Amino acid sequence: MNDAAWERLVDAIDVNLGIADHGRTKQPLEDRPDLTQQIEHIEFNRDGQNFRLERSTGPSIIDRKTHYSHRPGVANRSEYIYDEHEIGHKVTLLRKVGSDWEPVDMDQLGL
């Protein structure tokens, strides 16, 4: 999702539901601590439920290598190959259940 589409989505949520909280953090990638990603989030309430929309911006994944053990058909681990010069975006919708955030299908919002 490019910057313009993200802004349109945030504006639509703000107009229709209101934004309770927003923020931006920077953190290293789990499998490549030398690379960082930026996470923008907004929190809003819909029908009495708290939702959080996150947009992760970081290096694009260009390949995935799967490393196998000596037993056939058993994947030991996966390694992602990143393009440090190309930026990728990922948007995730989360719903607050208790004190945890659980992923939700984006189509459930109906915006």
Side-chain angles (χ1 to χ4, degrees), residues 6 10-11 13 20 24 29 33 35 44 49 57 64-65 67 73 75 78 89 96 98-99 103 106 109:
W6 171 253
V10 169
D11 288 344
I13 290 172
R24 185 177 298 178
L29 297 175
L35 299 176
F44 57 95
Q49 293 186 333
T57 303
R64 177 180 170 195
K65 291 184 179 180
H67 300 275
S78 294
H89 306 282
K96 192 164 193 173
S99 62
M106 194 78 88
L109 276 184

Side-chain angles (χ1 to χ4, degrees), residues 50-91:
N50 292 326
F51 288 92
R52 180 181 183 121
L53 192 64
E54 292 184 345
R55 178 184 183 221
S56 302
T57 303
S60 292
I61 297 173
I62 56 174
D63 195 14
R64 177 180 170 195
K65 291 184 179 180
T66 304
H67 300 275
Y68 292 94
S69 65
H70 293 289
R71 295 180 297 181
V74 178
N76 195 17
R77 65 182 175 92
S78 294
E79 176 185 357
Y80 292 103
I81 308 300
Y82 297 94
D83 183 348
E84 299 177 25
H85 305 290
E86 178 136 356
I87 301 297
H89 306 282
K90 179 181 176 186
V91 176

Side-chain angles (χ1 to χ4, degrees), residues 87-102:
I87 301 297
H89 306 282
K90 179 181 176 186
V91 176
T92 308
L93 178 64
L94 306 163
R95 177 181 26 212
K96 192 164 193 173
V97 178
S99 62
D100 296 329
W101 292 99
E102 294 183 355

Side-chain angles (χ1 to χ4, degrees), residues 24-48:
R24 185 177 298 178
T25 61
K26 215 173 212 181
Q27 66 185 32
L29 297 175
E30 288 181 24
D31 55 343
R32 288 280 307 270
D34 58 316
L35 299 176
T36 60
Q37 66 180 347
Q38 180 175 324
I39 300 175
E40 298 175 73
H41 76 274
I42 61 168
E43 293 180 12
F44 57 95
N45 189 307
R46 180 172 187 193
D47 300 329

